[in-house]
Structures are given as structure tokens and as C-alpha cells.
């Protein structure tokens, strides 16, 4: 078998061997495992990895659709329709500008959406009331039913509820619990509160994943997404709805963070770029599902139930997911890692490989299980030293900027005019070609250069949007899609880039902390969209400025293209010293701290 095929097999199976210790053992494990495959069952090894990984990948990626759904479901659930105070009695006649009718509910259908003035009604007892958004007025002079009245009238609060325009939505969360007028801020808190839960979920489950394993977290978060999603639909009041959504956010965020690390640790470095980046394509599909479901279903709780059922297939099959051998070996659980390899072989009807014949015998000894490499790491270890601390701060800024831009463009899409469902659908669809282009660029230019280009491009597009006159809706929409394209690519790339910048024992916490910091951006995003009331282009100014600064600082990060995932802090530190070196080299040999000499194979 030629050298090229040998390297292919190394890539397919090599990442399972990242044991704690010097990088020499990593290189020896790769070589010995490859030789075992060639000597015994070279075709079996290739099949073993490929088919099993494909199954795991699409099983996990499918669930990402649910994450995309729940993150943006509130776009339509919290729609505030046209409304006015309900009169204190039965209506005999309605007058709205020059439109007259006998039924109050018909008035919204007969009037254009641009009218937000008062509705004048005459009750069956003869009283005439002027109905406005948050107040109602009774005319003291029972004159004829005229729209304009200059006489004396008494003011009353909306004690009998509100009438809502149901031409677009039969019911929303807003109409369900009257989240208007002095309660309108309750509606505006729904999405930010969800993102606070996302922040906590990224931190909590990122930590738990490094402690109890990736599989248990994927199980628990998936089941939680299904039940909390259904619970939100059957909430009895606003507060129980908010609690269900908050818990839903925590578990959805936990899954989104951990599944990315799970996929990263199961995929070889040649396929890692495409596989990990396109996990986000399924999130984008979730956004499109939200737009399509919102167009077809106009009752919020039915809409929520339908969206939540997307999780059901994964809940039925998530028990089949194994723990990653990468994590098991990093924790010293070699027998369990062997069981996973055997399970993979059984799945594909191929011969297995004994890890005990490949790994050094002393790795299986009780003494080694207490190795200093197998220790617990804290979030503060992301500031391991000055260089790592600078790297972490830059990465966090990129996470924040990417998330702020991603959700600012998405949430603001319904305010651009035209068909709101089509706008959101296009904002989700544009992410998929963005990820394809990013993958192509990452494999040819490298992670760092593509990230810089994406961030700077998003800043440029934000500037262009600010220069387009508001009457040119088509060009504003087109440029907004281009800005979402650029920032979506950067936001998708930073997941993989962060996972590659940190070692195994802290990797999930690194991705989780980045996701946690980014949620500050997603919390701010709804409020930044509201800043358009102060100045129409305030959101673009904020996102564009941060994107430009983040793009410049990204140049200080190391390149990770075609480099193995690091296991120790020493290997991670080497990345800084190899910023300009060939991306295809393995890590240099590290010193043996026990003997003070370099080990050789």
C-alpha cells in the first residue's frame, strides 16, 4: 500500500491516540496503530472509522436543528400585532377613520396596517367610546357617531383587556397574556432571558462535559430540550412560560457546545474542517424551519409544539452514542476506550485493534492512572500564562462580536420590510453557502486568514448598509444578507478554531466559555436592534466597529491548519512559536520531565 493510503489511515484513526504525556507517544501511537491496520486489516480500519463516524455525525448534527429552532423561535411567538383597548360593553357600531362596520373584530381587516389611530365605537346602551392603544375615553356628550370629537371626555385604563389584529397571527405570547402597554417590557425580556439561560448552559455543561464525559451531557440536554420545549407550549401563565424557556435555553446551549467538541474528537483532522463547520449548517436549517413553521402555523402554542417535536427522533436514538475515545484516554479510562473501539468494529463487521498492543504498557499501570497529566483543570487555566491569557481574551472578543452580529442581523430581518417569513428564511439559508465558502478557504488559506477576512468583510458591509438610502429596500436586504453571510462564517469558524487552540483537558471549557461570553452579545442583540429608534443605523455601527477591531486582533492568533489536536499545555504553547511554520508538521518532541532527556521511539 502506497504512502498516500498510509497517511489516509493515519488520519482516520490517529486522533484516538492523543494520550496524555509527551508528543512522542502521540507520534508513536499513530505510527504503530497505522502499521497494525495495514498488517491485519487495512480495509477494515478504514471502514471501521468512516461508516461509524458518519452515523455519529449525522445523528448529532440532526439535533442541532432543534438548537437553531429554539434560539430563534421567539421571533414569531413575541410578535406584537396592532391592538386597542376593549370597550366596557357590547358594541353596536364601529368607526375607524372612514371605515364603518358592525363588528369590532373586523375593523383590522378593513383598515390598512399603517393606521394606528383611535377606534370609535358605540355601545348598545348608547355610550360612545374612543379606543386607543393603552387608554380609552368615554365621550360625555352622546352626540352622533363622528370620528372627530372636540367635546369633553373622560379617560379610563384598559380594564377589560385588548382587541388584537388577528390577520397575521391568531395568537402570540403577547396576545395570550396581554404583554402590551405597561407590560410590553415583559415581551421584550423573553429573548434576552433566553440568552441568559444560554450563557449559563454553556458554562455549566461545558464544565460537566470535561468532568463526566460528553455522552452523558448529550443525553441529558437532548431529553431536556424535548420536555422543556413541550412544557413551554402548555404554560399556564407568563412566569411558567419564562421558566420553561429559561431551562430550555440552558439545555439547548449545553448541547450546542458539547456536540461540537464531541464531533471534533470523533473526526480525523482531514475531515475535521468540513464536518465541524457544517454542524452549524443544521443550526441554519433550524432557522429556516422556524420561518416555514411560522408561515404555516399562526397559533403560538401549536407552533411551539411542532417545533419541539423535531427533537423526538434524536431522543429515541441518543442512547446509542458512545463516549469519545479521545476523552476516555485523556481520563485514563483505557478499558472503556477499548470497549468503544470494539463497538465500532462490531458495528462495521470489521476486526478490532487492541489498544494494549499499541499503547505503552506503563499507560495501563495503576501508577500511571495517577499521572500528573490526568488532573482537573479550572476555567482560570484559560489564563495559564500571559500568552494564553491574551489568546483567550482575543478569542472571547471574536465570540462576542460574532454572536452579536449573527443575532442582530437575524432579529432585525423582520424589521426590514417585505415578507417577514421570507426575510428570516433567507437569513438562515445564507449561512449554508457561507459555511461552504469558509470551509474551502480554511483548507487553503488557513483558519486565521479566513477569520480575519470574514470579520473585516462584515464590518465593510455594515458600513455599506449605512450609506444606502432607506427607500432602496432591495439593496438594503441584499447587503444585509451579505453582512450575515460574512459574520455567520466567522461565527461558525470560531467554534472549530477555539477547539483547536486549546488542549483536551480544557477544550470543552474553552468552547463553553467562549459561547458563554458570546451570549452577552446575544443578550445585547435585541436591545441593539431597539437602538434603531434612536438612530436607524446604530446596530450596524456597533457590529461593524467591533468586527473591524476583532479582525485586526485575530492576526495575533496562531494557525492550526492540519495540526493535531493538542493534549498538554506544552503542545498548546508550541502553537505560538509556530505561527509561520508549515501547517503540515507534527508537534516537535517535548522533553521528558522525569528524566530530563528527550525520549525517542
Amino acid at each position: 500500500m502506497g504512502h498516500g493510503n498510509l497517511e489516509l489511515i493515519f488520519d482516520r484513526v490517529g486522533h484516538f491516540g492523543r494520550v496524555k504525556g509527551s508528543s512522542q507517544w502521540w507520534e508513536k501511537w499513530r505510527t504503530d496503530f497505522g502499521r497494525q491496520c495495514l498488517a491485519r486489516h487495512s480495509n477494515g480500519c478504514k471502514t471501521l472509522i468512516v461508516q461509524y463516524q458518519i452515523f455519529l455525525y449525522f445523528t448529532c448534527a440532526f439535533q442541532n436543528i432543534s438548537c437553531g429552532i429554539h434560539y430563534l423561535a421567539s421571533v414569531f411567538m413575541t410578535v406584537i400585532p396592532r391592538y386597542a383597548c376593549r370597550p366596557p360593553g357590547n358594541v353596536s357600531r364601529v368607526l375607524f377613520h372612514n371605515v364603518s362596520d358592525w363588528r369590532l373584530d373586523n375593523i383590522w381587516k378593513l383598515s390598512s396596517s399603517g393606521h394606528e389611530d383611535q377606534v370609535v365605537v358605540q355601545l348598545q346602551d348608547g355610550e360612545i367610546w374612543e379606543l386607543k392603544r393603552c387608554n380609552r375615553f368615554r365621550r360625555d356628550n352622546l352626540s352622533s357617531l363622528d370620528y372627530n370629537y372636540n367635546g369633553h371626555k373622560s379617560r379610563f385604563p384598559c380594564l377589560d383587556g385588548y382587541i388584537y389584529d388577528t390577520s397575521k397571527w391568531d395568537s402570540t405570547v403577547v396576545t395570550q397574556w396581554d404583554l402590551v402597554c405597561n407590560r410590553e417590557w415583559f415581551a421584550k425580556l423573553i429573548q434576552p432571558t433566553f440568552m441568559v439561560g444560554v450563557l449559563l448552559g454553556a458554562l455549566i455543561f461545558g464544565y460537566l462535559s470535561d468532568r463526566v464525559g460528553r455522552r452523558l451531557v448529550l443525553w441529558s440536554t437532548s431529553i431536556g430540550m424535548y420536555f422543556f420545549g413541550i412544557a413551554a407550549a402548555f404554560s399556564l401563565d407568563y412566569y411558567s412560560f419564562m421558566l420553561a424557556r429559561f431551562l430550555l435555553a440552558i439545555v439547548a446551549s449545553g448541547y450546542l457546545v458539547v456536540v461540537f467538541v464531541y464531533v471534533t474528537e470523533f473526526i480525523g483532522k482531514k475531515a475535521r474542517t468540513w464536518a465541524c463547520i457544517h454542524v452549524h449548517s443544521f443550526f441554519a436549517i433550524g432557522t429556516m424551519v422556524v420561518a416555514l413553521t411560522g408561515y404555516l402555523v399562526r397559533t403560538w402554542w401549536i407552533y411551539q409544539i411542532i417545533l419541539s417535536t423535531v427533537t423526538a427522533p434524536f431522543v429515541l436514538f441518543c442512547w446509542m452514542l458512545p463516549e469519545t475515545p479521545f476523552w476516555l484516554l485523556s481520563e485514563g479510562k483505557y478499558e472503556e476506550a477499548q470497549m468503544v473501539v470494539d463497538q465500532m468494529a462490531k458495528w462495521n463487521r470489521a476486526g478490532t485493534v487492541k489498544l494494549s498492543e499499541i499503547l505503552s504498557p506503563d499507560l495501563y499501570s495503576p501508577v500511571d492512572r495517577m499521572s500528573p497529566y490526568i488532573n482537573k483543570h479550572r476555567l482560570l487555566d484559560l489564563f495559564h500564562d500571559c500568552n494564553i491569557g491574551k489568546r483567550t481574551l482575543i478569542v472571547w472578543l471574536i465570540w462576542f462580536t460574532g454572536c452579536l452580529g449573527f443575532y442582530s442581523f437575524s432579529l432585525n430581518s423582520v424589521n426590514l420590510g417585505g415578507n417577514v417569513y421570507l426575510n428570516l428564511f433567507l437569513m438562515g439559508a445564507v449561512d449554508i453557502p457561507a459555511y461552504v465558502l469558509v470551509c474551502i478557504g480554511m483548507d487553503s488559506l488557513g483558519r486565521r486568514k479566513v477569520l480575519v477576512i470574514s470579520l473585516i468583510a462584515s464590518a465593510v458591509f455594515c458600513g455599506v448598509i449605512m450609506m444606502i438610502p432607506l427607500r432602496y429596500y432591495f439593496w438594503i436586504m441584499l447587503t444585509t444578507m451579505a453582512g450575515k453571510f460574512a459574520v455567520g462564517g466567522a461565527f461558525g469558524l470560531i467554534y472549530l478554531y477555539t477547539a483547536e487552540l486549546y488542549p483536551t483537558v480544557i477544550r470543552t471549557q474553552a468552547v463553553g466559555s467562549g459561547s458563554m461570553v458570546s451570549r452577552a452579545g446575544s443578550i445585547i442583540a435585541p436591545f441593539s436592534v431597539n437602538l434603531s429608534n434612536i438612530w436607524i443605523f446604530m446596530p450596524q455601527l456597533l457590529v461593524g466597529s467591533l468586527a473591524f477591531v476583532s479582525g485586526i486582533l485575530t492576526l495575533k492568533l496562531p494557525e492550526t491548519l492540519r495540526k493535531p489536536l493538542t493534549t498538554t499545555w506544552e503542545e498548546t504553547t508550541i502553537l505560538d512559536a509556530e505561527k509561520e511554520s508549515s501547517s503540515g508538521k507534527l508537534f516537535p518532541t517535548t522533553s521528558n520531565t522525569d528524566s530530563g532527556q528527550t525520549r525517542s521511539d
Side-chain angles (χ1 to χ4, degrees):
M1 182 174 291
H3 179 73
N5 290 331
L6 177 62
E7 286 299 314
L8 175 61
I9 293 177
F10 288 174
D11 180 66
R12 296 294 189 187
V13 301
H15 64 286
F16 292 127
R18 295 286 292 173
V19 297
K20 293 188 185 285
S22 70
S23 59
Q24 293 173 330
W25 284 112
W26 155 235
E27 185 174 355
K28 176 177 174 54
W29 196 91
R30 278 169 52 99
T31 305
D32 289 345
F33 200 2
R35 289 172 181 167
Q36 291 280 351
C37 288
L38 289 174
R40 296 184 181 182
H41 38 268
S42 58
N43 292 332
C45 281
K46 182 177 179 181
T47 303
L48 173 75
I49 301 301
V50 174
Q51 293 183 6
Y52 197 74
Q53 283 178 321
I54 289 175
F55 168 76
L56 293 179
Y57 177 79
F58 282 102
T59 300
C60 295
F62 176 83
Q63 178 69 339
N64 246 28
I65 297 176
S66 295
C67 295
I69 284 172
H70 294 304
Y71 273 52
L72 290 169
S74 65
V75 170
F76 296 125
M77 279 196 299
T78 59
V79 169
I80 300 178
R82 292 185 295 168
Y83 64 93
C85 287
R86 185 174 294 278
N90 295 325
V91 175
S92 62
R93 192 179 174 192
V94 181
L95 183 65
F96 187 76
H97 286 274
N98 59 349
V99 179
S100 179
D101 198 85
W102 301 105
R103 289 178 52 85
L104 184 60
D105 295 338
N106 291 339
I107 199 66
W108 304 117
K109 301 176 184 179
L110 299 175
S111 62
S112 63
S113 58
H115 289 304
E116 298 294 344
D117 296 335
Q118 64 186 9
V119 178
V120 181
V121 298
Q122 185 175 34
L123 305 185
Q124 291 181 351
D125 59 5
E127 290 186 346
I128 299 176
W129 288 76
E130 297 177 2
L131 309 178
K132 296 189 177 182
R133 278 196 164 193
C134 300
N135 293 285
R136 54 186 180 176
F137 298 86
R138 185 186 63 196
R139 295 179 179 179
D140 295 339
N141 183 10
L142 300 180
S143 59
S144 60
L145 185 65
D146 296 325
Y147 191 77
N148 296 316
Y149 173 76
N150 297 322
H152 188 269
K153 50 189 174 183
S154 303
R155 177 178 175 179
F156 296 90
C158 300
L159 299 178
D160 295 290
Y162 303 85
I163 53 173
Y164 296 100
D165 178 11
T166 59
S167 60
K168 294 182 179 179
W169 275 77
D170 294 333
S171 70
T172 68
V173 172
V174 172
T175 64
Q176 180 78 24
W177 295 300
D178 290 333
L179 305 182
V180 292
C181 296
N182 61 338
R183 288 172 55 86
E184 186 174 346
W185 67 277
F186 282 99
K188 293 182 178 180
L189 281 179
I190 291 176
Q191 185 67 11
T193 302
F194 183 91
M195 289 304 175
V196 172
V198 170
L199 185 151
L200 293 177
L203 180 62
I204 294 171
F205 287 103
Y207 175 86
L208 290 177
S209 175
D210 284 333
R211 298 301 179 269
V212 302
R214 291 37 167 149
R215 178 179 60 176
L216 183 60
V217 171
L218 295 182
W219 287 4
S220 58
T221 54
S222 299
I223 295 173
M225 265 195 284
Y226 178 74
F227 285 105
F228 292 136
I230 297 296
F234 289 98
S235 300
L236 299 178
D237 54 34
Y238 170 81
Y239 298 102
S240 60
F241 170 79
M242 290 290 282
L243 177 61
R245 287 269 300 170
F246 182 75
L247 296 175
L248 176 61
I250 292 177
V251 294
S253 173
Y255 182 89
L256 190 63
V257 170
V258 177
V259 74
F260 189 85
V261 176
Y262 185 87
V263 170
T264 300
E265 293 182 346
F266 256 115
I267 301 297
K269 69 180 192 301
K270 284 187 178 180
R272 188 192 308 154
T273 299
W274 283 84
C276 294
I277 292 297
H278 280 288
V279 166
H280 300 292
S281 296
F282 290 85
F283 187 96
I285 293 173
T287 303
M288 292 187 285
V289 170
V290 169
L292 181 61
T293 306
Y295 177 77
L296 297 175
V297 181
R298 304 300 177 91
T299 302
W300 78 267
W301 61 271
I302 300 177
Y303 162 87
Q304 175 66 22
I305 290 176
I306 292 175
L307 294 179
S308 298
T309 56
V310 176
T311 304
F314 183 83
V315 171
L316 297 176
F317 292 100
C318 65
W319 61 271
M320 300 178 65
L321 298 179
E323 186 55 80
T324 66
F326 205 127
W327 183 84
L328 292 172
L329 290 175
S330 72
E331 293 293 310
K333 300 180 179 181
Y334 306 104
E335 291 83 357
E336 295 182 32
Q338 180 64 62
M339 292 175 61
V340 175
V341 173
D342 294 341
Q343 179 183 352
M344 295 168 67
K346 182 179 179 181
W347 176 277
N348 292 284
R349 299 178 182 177
T352 188
V353 175
K354 297 297 182 182
L355 297 180
S356 59
E357 299 176 6
I358 300 170
L359 297 175
S360 176
D362 63 327
L363 292 176
Y364 280 83
S365 65
V367 176
D368 187 77
R369 293 177 186 273
M370 300 301 293
S371 169
Y373 291 108
I374 304 177
N375 49 34
K376 302 301 180 184
H377 290 261
R378 302 171 300 167
L379 190 62
L380 289 177
D381 288 331
L382 293 174
F383 299 88
H384 180 71
D385 56 35
C386 183
N387 290 331
I388 297 297
K390 291 179 181 178
R391 178 187 302 180
T392 298
L393 291 177
I394 294 173
V395 168
W396 282 358
L397 178 61
I398 298 170
W399 275 91
F400 177 85
T401 303
C403 195
L404 175 64
F406 185 91
Y407 286 102
S408 292
F409 281 117
S410 297
L411 295 175
N412 198 43
S413 64
V414 297
N415 300 322
L416 296 177
N419 190 307
V420 295
Y421 307 103
L422 179 61
N423 290 350
L424 184 62
F425 185 89
L426 292 176
M427 286 298 159
V430 75
D431 286 337
I432 297 177
Y435 298 144
V436 173
L437 187 61
V438 162
C439 287
I440 295 174
M442 289 171 65
D443 282 340
S444 57
L445 300 177
R447 279 71 162 133
R448 182 176 56 186
K449 290 182 181 178
V450 173
L451 186 57
V452 170
I453 293 172
S454 298
L455 289 170
I456 297 298
S458 63
V460 171
F461 286 124
C462 285
V464 173
I465 293 172
M466 295 168 62
M467 293 186 293
I468 300 176
L470 296 178
R471 63 181 180 273
Y472 295 106
Y473 157 75
F474 174 79
W475 294 108
I476 291 178
M477 183 63 190
L478 187 64
T479 310
T480 300
M481 290 179 61
K484 178 65 171 3
F485 181 96
V487 79
F491 193 39
L493 190 158
I494 193 58
Y495 277 83
L496 175 60
Y497 197 28
T498 303
E500 293 179 340
L501 285 172
Y502 293 90
T504 301
V505 291
I506 201 70
R507 181 170 298 120
T508 307
Q509 287 197 53
V511 176
S513 68
S515 181
M516 178 189 69
V517 171
S518 74
R519 297 313 153 194
S522 61
I523 293 170
I524 294 174
F527 298 109
S528 72
V529 173
N530 292 333
L531 288 177
S532 59
N533 296 328
I534 301 174
W535 185 45
I536 189 65
F537 295 120
M538 187 66 76
Q540 287 80 8
L541 178 62
L542 179 61
V543 173
S545 301
L546 287 174
F548 181 79
V549 173
S550 300
I552 298 300
L553 292 177
T554 301
L555 294 171
K556 295 183 176 294
L557 298 177
E559 182 56 71
T560 59
L561 176 62
R562 299 190 186 95
K563 292 187 178 181
L565 296 177
T566 59
T567 299
T568 64
W569 283 115
E570 290 76 12
E571 293 174 346
T572 304
T573 303
I574 290 172
L575 282 175
D576 282 323
E578 293 188 337
K579 286 183 180 180
E580 304 301 329
S581 66
S582 174
S583 61
K585 293 182 180 179
L586 291 172
F587 288 104
T589 301
T590 57
S591 299
N592 187 328
T593 56
D594 296 331
S595 63
Q597 298 177 349
T598 302
R599 299 177 63 175
S600 60
D601 291 341

